[in-house]
């Protein structure tokens, strides 16, 4: 069991990175908010089937409410903002760099709202990791410059703030709840946000293709169920600032996947950036990188 627990961070990063590949397959064939509300509805339905199988416990109404708030932030606002920004022309590299601010924001919020005190080594690791992410994404930053507008950059910033806030909210109010039922409430909250956005901003049109169906199946089963449940385990068992540092590895893993699947370039500079990012995460997650809570 101990060895399996040690593998959870690596497995989470690997699965989470595939989300950007799935989005690349899906976005040409569906509007972002419409795609997401269908994804969340399917995820909710599958989790509902798991409740009796996993003997999931009911949540107290207050805890269910907080799980819904966390879901609105982590799923609805975060994914909705990123998908909308990319759909409207924000370069994927710049979007990834904005999302790369999340570990630093999470550490700051954890200190302010979750009572965590982050030591210098963890801050150093977070800073080094952000530099590594910038290096990995630097070749992509000049692409599709016309899509860099106040609206798309603003949507990306709102998304990353929401993800950081949702992570801290989950840790503070929902961390000890049953994983299945808490995630069920999260998806209900996230669904509400993107469904309302789709009604207000979109035509709710799908073009059913093999790519769209594959992306939907993958994102529901692998991301919305597998990766999210792993993230909830990590948040429950660790300090949110340290858990958030794992997100620094995602752009590098995604770049390798895009190179393997789509033939995208992978330069020596990007490989060097991956090494810097890995060093940052190692510093941030090492045993001497402590996060203290007030007694």
């Amino acid at each position: 069991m101990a060895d399996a627990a040690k593998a959870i961070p690596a497995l989470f990063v690997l699965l989470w990175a595939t989300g950007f590949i799935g989005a690349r397959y899906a976005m040409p064939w569906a509007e972002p908010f419409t795609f997401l509300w269908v994804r969340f509805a399917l995820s909710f339905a599958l989790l509902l089937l798991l409740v009796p199988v996993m003997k999931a416990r009911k949540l107290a109404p207050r805890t269910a409410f907080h799980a819904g708030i966390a879901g609105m932030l982590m799923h609805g606002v975060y994914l909705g903002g990123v998908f909308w920004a990319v759909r409207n022309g924000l370069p994927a590299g710049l979007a990834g760099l904005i999302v790369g601010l999340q570990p630093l924001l999470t550490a700051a919020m954890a200190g302010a709202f979750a009572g965590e005190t982050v030591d210098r080594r963890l801050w150093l690791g977070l800073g080094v990791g952000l530099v590594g992410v910038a290096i990995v994404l630097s070749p992509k930053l000049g692409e599709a410059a016309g899509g860099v507008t106040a609206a798309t950059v603003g949507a990306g910033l709102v998304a990353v703030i929401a993800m950081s806030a949702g992570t801290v909210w989950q840790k503070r109010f929902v961390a000890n709840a049953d994983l299945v039922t808490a995630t069920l409430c999260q998806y209900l909250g996230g669904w509400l946000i993107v469904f309302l956005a789709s009604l207000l901003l979109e035509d709710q049109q799908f073009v059913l293709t093999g790519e769209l169906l594959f992306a939907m199946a993958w994102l529901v089963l692998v991301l919305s169920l597998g990766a999210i449940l792993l993230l909830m385990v990590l948040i429950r068992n660790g300090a949110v600032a340290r858990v958030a540092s794992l997100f620094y590895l995602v752009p590098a893993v995604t770049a390798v996947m895009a190179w393997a699947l789509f033939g995208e370039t992978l330069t020596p500079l990007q490989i060097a950036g991956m090494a810097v990012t890995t060093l940052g995460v190692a510093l941030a997650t090492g045993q001497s990188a402590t996060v203290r809570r007030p007694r």
Side-chain angles (χ1 to χ4, degrees):
M1 291 295 291
D3 291 338
K6 291 179 181 179
I8 288 178
L11 181 59
F12 165 73
V13 170
L14 182 63
L15 296 184
W16 195 266
T18 66
F20 294 93
I21 303 299
R24 171 163 176 166
Y25 279 117
M27 279 300 92
W29 310 111
E31 293 173 297
F33 297 127
T34 300
F35 179 85
L36 286 171
W37 81 249
V38 174
R39 171 183 165 182
F40 293 162
L42 291 173
S43 302
F44 182 90
L46 289 176
L47 276 173
L48 202 58
L49 294 176
L50 287 178
V51 167
V53 176
M54 303 293 292
K55 297 181 180 179
R57 303 185 308 275
K58 291 183 179 180
L59 301 184
R62 183 180 180 86
T63 304
F65 171 78
H66 284 302
I69 295 296
M72 288 181 178
L73 294 168
M74 295 172 67
H75 305 310
V77 180
Y78 169 69
L79 285 177
V82 171
F83 274 49
W84 184 89
V86 172
R87 171 85 175 196
N88 285 275
L90 186 68
L94 183 54
L97 188 57
I98 292 172
V99 171
L101 296 171
Q102 189 234 327
L104 287 170
L105 287 173
T106 301
M109 289 184 183
F113 302 110
E116 295 183 357
T117 304
V118 181
D119 76 357
R120 291 181 180 178
R121 174 167 173 161
L122 182 49
W123 279 119
L124 176 62
L126 292 172
V128 171
L130 182 60
V131 171
V133 169
I135 294 172
V136 171
L137 296 176
S138 59
K140 303 288 186 180
L141 295 182
E143 297 179 0
V148 181
T149 65
T152 56
V153 173
L157 290 173
V158 169
V160 73
I161 291 170
M163 185 63 182
S164 297
T167 302
V168 174
W169 198 285
Q170 172 74 19
K171 179 67 175 182
R172 182 169 182 179
F173 297 111
V174 197
N176 295 322
D178 183 273
L179 288 176
V180 174
T181 47
T183 306
L184 200 64
C185 294
Q186 281 188 7
Y187 280 126
L188 186 59
W191 175 87
L192 180 62
I193 294 293
V194 293
F195 182 71
L196 291 176
S198 73
L199 289 179
L200 293 173
L201 302 174
E202 297 177 346
D203 297 325
Q204 298 188 328
Q205 293 181 349
F206 268 76
V207 179
L208 288 178
T209 66
E211 287 187 351
L212 180 65
L213 293 175
F214 168 77
M216 181 66 78
W218 184 269
L219 291 173
V220 167
L221 296 173
V222 176
L223 268 293
S224 294
L225 297 184
I228 289 298
L229 288 173
L230 289 177
L231 177 60
M232 296 307 102
V233 171
L234 289 169
I235 292 174
R236 170 183 287 178
N237 296 336
V240 291
R242 187 178 291 116
V243 171
S245 69
L246 295 173
F247 284 88
Y248 279 149
L249 295 173
V250 172
V253 176
T254 302
V256 173
M257 290 180 178
W259 168 76
L261 293 173
F262 306 121
E264 294 188 6
T265 57
L266 194 59
T267 66
L269 179 64
Q270 287 177 295
I271 295 172
M274 293 176 191
V276 173
T277 301
T278 303
L279 173 62
V281 173
L283 288 170
T285 58
Q287 291 299 317
S288 59
T290 57
V291 177
R292 298 179 296 278
R293 297 180 179 83
R295 295 184 182 277

